[in-house]
Amino acid sequence: MKILFRNKDINSIKADVQIVFLEKKPSIKKLVGENDLETLEESGFFKDATDTFYVSSSKKLYLKLKEFEAEEIKVAAAKACSALKNFNFKSAKIEGYSDVELFCRAFAEGAILGSYSFDWYKSEKKESQLKSIHIASLLGRKSGVSEKSINEALEAASLVAENVNFVRDIVNSAPDDATPMQVASIAEKIAKDGGFECKVYDEKFLKSEEMGAFLSVARASAHPPRLVHMSYKPKGGKQPTKKIALIGKGLTYDSGGLSLKPSDYMVTMKADKAGACAVIGIMKSISKLNLNVEVHGVLGLCENMIGGNAYKPDDILRAKNKKTIEIRNTDAEGRLVLADVLCYIQDYFKKAGQQFDYIIDMATLTGACVVALGEYTSGVFGHNEKLKKMILSAAEDAGDLMAPLPFNKHLRKLIKSEVADISNCSSSRYGGAITAAMFLDEFIYDENKQKWAHLDIAGPAYVEKAWDYNPHGASGAPVRTIVEFIKKCEGK
Ligand code: BES
Ligand code: ZN
Ligand code: ZN
């Protein structure tokens, strides 16, 4: 579906249906013809009875808009698109008003994200007939905005939203259709299309790099692990304004391993690869947006399974930085994979004699984070307050929900081990998101502490109930936030 801006009066545009957003204001009468007003009043539309109402005589679909604000516009656009799925209209139009650029960006994002549905495995597919929506606004000479800048903003918003949907598709794929090798191939394809580099490493490499933690988690799976390193650099040898590393947890399935998950908790664990998939979507976005930054996307892809050769509680693993880890619970596997991948990228820069500015990992790391913040919000950790603020403000602008969570020196003792340098599982049932983040902190070198942020996306990555413009299943978080973050720091 295409969202297009038209610098025209809405009445001069032909479309099968008109979408009308109504703010609860006296101006309603101006927007709604007398006849429609009567129909809407009779239907109880204004008394919150329904969200959308279609008047067939005027071919108008009415929606309520609480206020002129980006998130509200996105939700209304999504509702309009899902209502229009039940009709056979091919084109629609809507009047763009107030801040037209903001309206276009938000409308496009909401419409594209709200039109998403995952039907790969359905025999009968219900395809929407709607192919285009025209946003009409006749720009006066004094409006202060140009058609060009509106079109650019609209295209960028559409591109990122399409990429969020692309990430949703990978996360929603069944675990046997998105194995480590298959996800690595997707990353390779995206890199090829985007004209940037992508290296895929197998177990031999992991062994040679002494990634004992990552390898142990992967051991019992029929699908071998992969470490993917994508690197995007500004085209034409331009000097990047920032160098950023993004790390994604890519557990293509998390059964819990020998500390097996109860069956109800195992369902949805195909989504334990959401961090890695988000990194692919971010790389895809920044390469298409041609941002003047250097970004390294590193994915730790494997499956946490059971079997005679599975790693086990009581094992002692040795991570890439030589730290030893006592395994007390094989279900706390994400932090083990991340430990080695975090060391890998820090060593990579060290060996190249290069500095980087930020290192951000994203991971469906703990159920405890979902308990702390609820299903819709990601937790943000880090030692650098300024960096955390930048991420939180990007999230606010992009529309992802995020909240800061603190480290706590008193919880450090909970991951102490009597037999190894550290334990992979807290000795307390409380504060699990924090102790997991503090475990990762053990693998961030002193010189990089201020550059690091950790996002626990266990809640919003996958929700089994549609909400706002998010469908049942994968949400594609935190792609929009990190793209926004990179855009913001590109200019600084
Ligand atoms: N992948 C899970 C975390 C998770 C839970 C993600 C719910 C999404 C929704 C992670 O590997 C895990 O199992 N963590 C354990 C850690 C515990 C054993 C210390 C958890 O959160 O229970
Ligand atoms: Zn687990
Ligand atoms: Zn996991």
Side-chain angles (χ1 to χ4, degrees):
M1 188 181 54
K2 267 269 179 222
I3 317 287
L4 304 151
F5 173 70
R6 309 285 298 276
N7 187 2
K8 281 189 171 173
D9 182 285
I10 184 137
N11 296 315
S12 68
I13 290 173
K14 279 206 186 101
D16 300 336
V17 60
Q18 183 174 344
I19 303 165
V20 182
F21 285 174
L22 297 176
E23 280 183 80
K24 284 182 186 160
K25 272 188 185 169
S27 68
I28 279 176
K29 278 195 185 146
K30 268 202 291 176
L31 280 162
V32 185
E34 277 303 322
N35 290 345
D36 282 7
L37 191 59
E38 214 170 280
T39 320
L40 286 172
E41 263 162 3
E42 274 168 22
S43 74
F45 180 80
F46 295 114
K47 290 183 194 130
D48 281 342
T50 50
D51 278 334
T52 58
F53 195 84
Y54 177 63
V55 181
S56 56
S57 55
S58 63
K59 293 211 164 169
K60 283 184 178 168
L61 177 76
Y62 291 99
L63 287 101
K64 279 173 287 218
L65 190 68
K66 277 198 209 105
E67 57 181 310
F68 190 91
E69 186 264 332
E71 286 305 297
E72 292 293 333
I73 296 168
K74 291 180 203 174
V75 174
K79 279 184 187 160
C81 289
S82 73
L84 290 175
K85 264 190 185 171
N86 303 317
F87 298 85
N88 282 327
F89 301 128
K90 289 201 167 52
S91 60
K93 61 180 180 179
I94 182 164
E95 179 141 35
Y97 64 109
S98 202
D99 181 340
V100 186
E101 193 173 306
L102 183 146
F103 184 85
C104 287
R105 261 192 283 131
F107 187 91
E109 192 177 315
I112 293 167
L113 295 178
S115 299
Y116 176 86
S117 66
F118 184 69
D119 59 5
W120 286 10
Y121 300 103
K122 293 264 189 201
S123 310
E124 247 178 68
K125 305 189 198 296
K126 196 175 160 201
E127 233 187 87
S128 171
Q129 297 300 309
L130 196 61
K131 296 287 173 279
S132 62
I133 305 180
H134 304 257
I135 306 175
S137 180
L138 190 58
L139 299 174
R141 244 181 284 144
K142 287 185 193 147
S143 66
V145 275
S146 70
E147 197 171 336
K148 186 167 171 268
S149 78
I150 292 179
N151 277 325
E152 277 171 8
L154 184 59
E155 266 166 42
S158 304
L159 178 123
V160 176
E162 300 283 4
N163 289 345
V164 169
N165 285 348
F166 167 80
V167 170
R168 288 171 171 180
D169 276 343
I170 321 175
V171 178
N172 284 326
S173 298
D176 270 20
D177 293 330
T179 61
M181 275 161 81
Q182 283 164 318
V183 177
S185 302
I186 297 172
E188 274 181 316
K189 186 175 177 302
I190 295 306
K192 202 166 168 227
D193 290 351
F196 59 88
E197 202 185 306
C198 176
K199 290 213 164 106
V200 176
Y201 298 108
D202 63 11
E203 306 99 296
K204 268 194 232 140
F205 176 82
L206 303 186
K207 270 183 204 134
S208 70
E209 291 279 310
E210 301 183 323
M211 298 193 189
F214 187 171
L215 276 166
S216 297
V217 174
R219 215 161 60 200
S221 171
H223 304 292
R226 289 292 181 266
L227 185 147
V228 175
H229 184 162
M230 295 173 270
S231 18
Y232 165 85
K233 290 182 179 150
K235 313 233 155 81
K238 251 172 93 185
Q239 204 49 33
T241 52
K242 288 280 183 299
K243 285 190 187 178
I244 300 165
L246 304 174
I247 316 300
K249 170 177 172 181
L251 263 288
T252 59
Y253 202 70
D254 179 13
S255 71
L258 288 180
S259 313
L260 197 63
K261 285 183 185 292
S263 11
D264 284 354
Y265 288 77
M266 208 184 290
V267 180
T268 74
M269 279 305 138
K270 64 174 182 181
D272 216 18
K273 58 184 180 299
C277 299
V279 172
I280 300 177
I282 297 162
M283 299 300 291
K284 185 167 154 67
S285 304
I286 54 160
S287 68
K288 296 287 176 200
L289 293 170
N290 263 319
L291 299 185
N292 192 31
V293 283
E294 180 173 320
V295 183
H296 294 257
V298 191
L299 322 176
L301 298 163
C302 68
E303 259 194 348
N304 186 20
M305 299 299 280
I306 55 172
N309 61 341
Y311 86 123
K312 37 186 128 24
D314 285 351
D315 271 347
I316 309 279
L317 315 181
R318 190 185 292 273
K320 185 165 160 53
N321 67 346
K322 306 276 192 290
K323 279 198 184 177
T324 56
I325 307 166
E326 178 193 359
I327 300 304
R328 295 186 70 89
N329 190 319
T330 61
D331 197 10
E333 84 300 334
R335 64 197 73 183
L336 301 171
V337 173
L338 288 176
D340 275 339
V341 178
L342 286 167
C343 291
Y344 162 81
I345 192 69
Q346 294 174 94
D347 289 348
Y348 170 87
F349 278 105
K350 210 189 245 175
K351 262 192 240 153
Q354 285 184 30
Q355 291 288 326
F356 60 90
D357 298 285
Y358 303 116
I359 177 167
I360 303 173
D361 75 76
M362 48 208 84
T364 46
L365 203 63
T366 66
C369 192
V370 193
V371 173
L373 298 174
E375 281 184 292
Y376 307 107
T377 306
S378 298
V380 183
F381 294 87
H383 300 288
N384 182 335
E385 294 302 322
K386 205 174 141 212
L387 172 58
K388 276 193 288 183
K389 271 203 187 115
M390 278 165 70
I391 294 173
L392 290 165
S393 127
E396 181 98 23
D397 293 346
D400 283 318
L401 295 173
M402 293 196 182
L405 284 174
F407 291 122
N408 182 320
K409 65 176 184 193
H410 303 290
L411 301 186
R412 176 66 187 80
K413 57 182 172 290
L414 302 178
I415 47 172
K416 275 200 168 147
S417 165
E418 292 295 328
V419 290
D421 297 333
I422 189 168
S423 158
N424 83 322
C425 180
S426 167
S427 55
S428 157
R429 48 197 281 230
Y430 303 120
I434 299 176
T435 45
M438 292 177 84
F439 179 95
L440 296 182
D441 186 31
E442 293 290 320
F443 299 88
I444 301 293
Y445 307 159
D446 286 343
E447 64 272 26
N448 297 328
K449 295 279 187 207
Q450 292 296 317
K451 300 176 181 175
W452 172 58
H454 157 60
L455 309 182
D456 193 331
I457 60 168
Y462 194 94
V463 180
E464 281 195 290
K465 209 171 177 296
W467 51 290
D468 278 358
Y469 41 83
N470 293 287
H472 165 280
S475 69
V479 170
R480 289 177 299 157
T481 297
I482 301 302
V483 172
E484 186 63 33
F485 169 83
I486 296 175
K487 270 188 186 172
K488 279 189 176 167
C489 59
E490 180 205 23
K492 280 187 190 158

